[in-house]
């Protein structure tokens, strides 16, 4: 082991401290959902064991990473054709380009491709099979309501779109359920954005893709544990009896061709239509990400110029420093890590992954810190997401506008704690073996 064992123990302690922090801000401190807490934490530890310690699963994770890397290579081939070989070189002819260049011409096109692929897989019913599998696991292990378990499972693959799976139930959901499904949005990342982080970290963390998928799965029970502590269930949910059958998401009828069968107008959408619609959604997402980053980073820069130096980053670094220590990061690297983690709150996770890649390439942080921070950043827990998740959910259930708006900030708080909790899980199982990162 390349680090002291007490760091692993600190990571394990951090899991429970984050539960305590959520309890301190609970709406009903006298209600402690032990079933959810014990079941959710055990589920995270079991998932972590399979990811980090079980040889067969670790081998499968590496294979899965390689398969998904092939998907991103396919995206590069498409981008290579559109932008040219000088701008988007393929792996057999690499170019010395900076991270900003990668973001513009490698990561954003990959979002478009991956979004189309997810649309195709959803149309074929493959995503629903996986989603329902995890929904049943979450329901049985933590005794959640069926609707929140299903929405949480869908968050493994998508963002705000996950709430569409339970749209009919949202108007009648309890406050606790609403907080839970919003928290899962903040605590996970959409699969279509994975390309951003992979392109940044792959040189220093070759297995990053498989770990980000694992982090997205582990974040769901973490979000449920913390949200149920913060906003305990005081009512009987409508879907407390089981997981509802997921329906196909609603699609804009104007974009779908129709045909007449037996005198009736029937919608028809082929798998290729679904892939194209998904790719078009990916274009909107890529443009939105670029626009948000230009605005937010510009505002942060303006404030820093007025205050002098990197004031905001320093303030956030101080705020997140004790939380960073709880994840089990070595003390001499905790300040760098806390600044990187803290930046996400205002600047989104993308600049933070930039900074993590740069710190790792410069040798400023160890493999353990790279691993833990990678998990800590794997979520949409930042202020820019408030409008997306709160606004998107209100659009699905206008009658619950007040409750959803009030719970948005609580869900952001839960999402932040949840990503730190899964960082603790990574810290518990890290043995200092470089093969975990894919390095030799």
């Amino acid at each position: 082991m390349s680090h002291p064992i007490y760091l692993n123990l600190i990571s394990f302690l951090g899991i429970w401290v984050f539960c305590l922090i959520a309890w301190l801000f609970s709406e009903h401190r006298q209600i402690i959902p032990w079933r959810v807490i014990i079941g959710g934490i055990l589920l995270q530890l079991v998932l972590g064991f399979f990811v980090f310690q079980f040889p067969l699963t670790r081998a499968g994770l590496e294979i899965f990473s390689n398969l998904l890397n092939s998907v991103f290579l396919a995206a590069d081939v498409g981008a290579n054709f559109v932008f040219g070989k000088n701008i988007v070189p393929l792996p057999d002819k690499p170019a010395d380009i900076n991270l900003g260049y990668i973001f513009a011409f490698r990561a954003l096109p990959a979002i478009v491709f991956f979004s189309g692929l997810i649309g195709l897989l959803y149309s074929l019913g493959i995503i629903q099979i996986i989603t329902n599998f995890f929904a049943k696991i979450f329901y049985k292990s933590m005794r959640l309501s069926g609707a929140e378990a299903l929405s949480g499972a869908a968050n493994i693959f998508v963002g705000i779109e996950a709430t569409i799976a339970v749209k009919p139930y949202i108007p009648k959901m309890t406050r606790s359920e609403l907080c839970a499904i919003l928290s899962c949005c903040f605590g996970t990342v959409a699969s279509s954005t994975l390309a951003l982080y992979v392109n940044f970290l792959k040189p220093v963390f070759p297995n990053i893709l498989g770990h980000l998928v694992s982090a997205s799965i582990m974040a769901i029970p973490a979000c449920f544990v913390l949200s149920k502590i913060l906003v305990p269930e005081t009512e009987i949910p409508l879907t407390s009896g089981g997981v509802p059958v997921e329906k196909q998401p609603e699609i804009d009828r104007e974009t779908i061709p129709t045909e007449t069968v037996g005198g009736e107008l029937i919608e028809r959408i082929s798998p290729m239509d679904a892939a194209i619609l998904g790719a078009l959604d990916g274009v909107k997402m890529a443009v939105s990400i670029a626009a948000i980053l230009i605005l937010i980073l510009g505002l942060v820069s303006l404030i820093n110029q007025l205050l002098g130096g990197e004031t905001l980053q320093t303030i956030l670094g101080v705020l997140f420093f004790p939380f960073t220590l709880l994840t089990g990061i070595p003390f001499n690297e905790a300040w760098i890590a806390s600044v990187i983690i803290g930046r996400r709150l205002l600047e989104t996770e993308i600049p933070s992954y930039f900074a993590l890649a740069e710190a790792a390439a410069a040798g400023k942080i160890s493999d353990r810190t790279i691993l833990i921070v990678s998990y800590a950043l794997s979520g949409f827990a930042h202020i820019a997401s408030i409008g997306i998740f709160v606004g998107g959910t209100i659009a699905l259930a206008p009658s619950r506008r007040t409750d959803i708006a009030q719970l948005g900030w609580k869900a952001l708080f839960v999402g932040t704690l949840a990503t730190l909790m899964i960082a603790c899980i990574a810290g518990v199982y890290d043995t200092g073996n470089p093969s975990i990162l894919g390095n030799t």
Side-chain angles (χ1 to χ4, degrees):
M1 180 176 292
S2 61
H3 60 263
I5 192 173
Y6 72 81
L7 292 176
N8 298 75
L9 297 177
I10 291 175
S11 296
F12 184 75
L13 177 64
I15 296 171
W16 304 97
V17 174
F18 288 126
C19 290
L20 176 62
I21 292 172
W23 177 78
L24 290 175
F25 293 91
S26 174
E27 291 187 353
H28 303 281
R29 292 185 190 173
Q30 69 276 19
I31 301 177
I32 302 178
W34 290 111
R35 171 66 183 265
V36 178
I37 295 172
I38 301 300
I41 291 177
L42 284 177
L43 182 57
Q44 291 176 72
L45 290 171
V46 169
L47 290 171
F49 171 78
F50 281 112
V51 170
F52 291 98
Q53 299 294 328
F54 194 60
L56 185 60
T57 309
R58 284 179 57 183
L61 189 64
E62 292 180 11
I63 294 173
F64 181 65
S65 292
N66 291 332
L67 287 174
L68 287 183
N69 283 333
S70 298
V71 172
F72 293 128
L73 174 60
D76 278 347
V77 170
N80 174 274
F81 178 80
V82 173
F83 297 114
K85 63 181 180 180
N86 293 326
I87 295 180
V88 187
L90 296 178
D92 57 337
K93 294 181 179 179
D96 184 16
I97 53 179
N98 60 40
L99 290 176
Y101 204 78
I102 291 174
F103 174 78
F105 295 104
R106 304 290 287 276
L108 292 182
I111 290 177
V112 176
F113 178 82
F114 209 70
S115 182
L117 178 62
I118 292 296
L120 174 62
L121 295 177
Y122 205 101
S123 175
L124 295 174
I126 297 174
I127 297 296
Q128 292 91 319
I129 293 174
I130 303 173
T131 297
N132 289 329
F133 170 76
F134 281 105
K136 291 177 181 177
I137 292 177
F138 298 149
Y139 170 75
K140 292 181 179 179
S141 62
M142 291 176 280
R143 269 295 173 252
L144 305 165
S145 74
E148 60 190 354
L150 178 59
S151 179
N155 264 288
I156 297 172
F157 302 99
V158 295
I160 185 60
E161 298 89 347
T163 56
I164 295 176
V166 293
K167 178 183 176 181
Y169 306 98
I170 295 177
K172 297 183 179 180
M173 278 186 173
T174 66
R175 277 178 55 85
S176 182
E177 285 182 294
L178 287 174
C179 185
I181 65 171
L182 283 171
S183 298
C184 289
C185 290
F186 285 107
T188 58
V189 293
S191 55
S192 54
T193 61
L194 292 179
L196 289 171
Y197 324 134
V198 172
N199 277 297
F200 299 160
L201 287 174
K202 191 176 178 181
V204 294
F205 192 167
N207 287 344
I208 180 63
L209 187 50
H211 280 280
L212 286 177
V213 173
S214 300
S216 197
I217 296 172
M218 285 191 280
I220 302 300
C223 288
F224 283 134
V225 167
L226 295 165
S227 68
K228 291 302 180 182
I229 294 175
L230 187 68
V231 184
E233 188 62 81
T234 59
E235 306 171 62
I236 300 177
L238 183 66
T239 58
S240 59
V243 178
V245 178
E246 183 180 4
K247 297 180 180 180
Q248 290 282 354
E250 294 186 359
I251 301 175
D252 186 356
R253 292 173 181 269
E254 293 182 1
T255 64
I256 303 176
T258 58
E259 61 182 4
T260 302
V261 178
E264 295 184 3
L265 194 64
I266 305 296
E267 295 177 352
R268 57 178 174 84
I269 178 168
S270 69
M272 185 53 65
D273 291 330
I276 292 172
L277 291 173
L280 294 176
D281 287 339
V283 172
K284 297 175 185 177
M285 184 183 300
V287 172
S288 298
I289 289 172
I292 290 172
L293 285 175
I294 291 171
L295 172 64
I296 292 178
L297 296 182
L299 290 174
V300 169
S301 175
L302 180 60
I303 294 173
N304 281 331
Q305 290 177 55
L306 294 175
L307 298 178
E310 297 180 343
T311 307
L312 286 179
Q313 292 183 13
T314 301
I315 293 173
L316 292 172
V318 172
L319 177 65
F320 278 84
F321 188 73
F323 300 140
T324 301
L325 289 176
L326 286 170
T327 63
I329 287 175
F331 184 81
N332 62 325
E333 300 175 11
W335 175 249
I336 296 176
S338 66
V339 171
I340 292 174
I341 294 172
R343 289 180 63 180
R344 179 185 59 183
L345 183 62
L346 292 179
E347 301 178 28
T348 79
E349 74 284 357
I350 297 170
S352 293
Y353 272 117
F354 260 121
L356 177 61
E358 291 176 340
K364 296 180 180 179
I365 52 179
S366 63
D367 285 353
R368 177 175 175 82
T369 300
I370 296 172
L371 177 69
I372 291 176
V373 176
S374 294
Y375 273 74
L377 295 177
S378 60
F380 287 144
H382 47 73
I383 292 176
S385 292
I386 286 283
I388 297 172
F389 296 139
V390 172
T393 307
I394 288 175
L396 295 177
S399 62
R400 301 300 302 275
R401 176 187 301 273
T402 301
D403 285 329
I404 295 171
Q406 291 175 349
L407 291 169
W409 293 101
K410 290 179 181 287
L412 173 61
F413 179 56
V414 169
T416 302
L417 292 182
T419 53
L420 291 167
M421 179 179 281
I422 63 172
C424 289
I425 298 292
V428 167
Y429 286 110
D430 175 43
T431 61
N433 187 344
S435 65
I436 289 178
L437 273 65
N439 298 321
T440 55

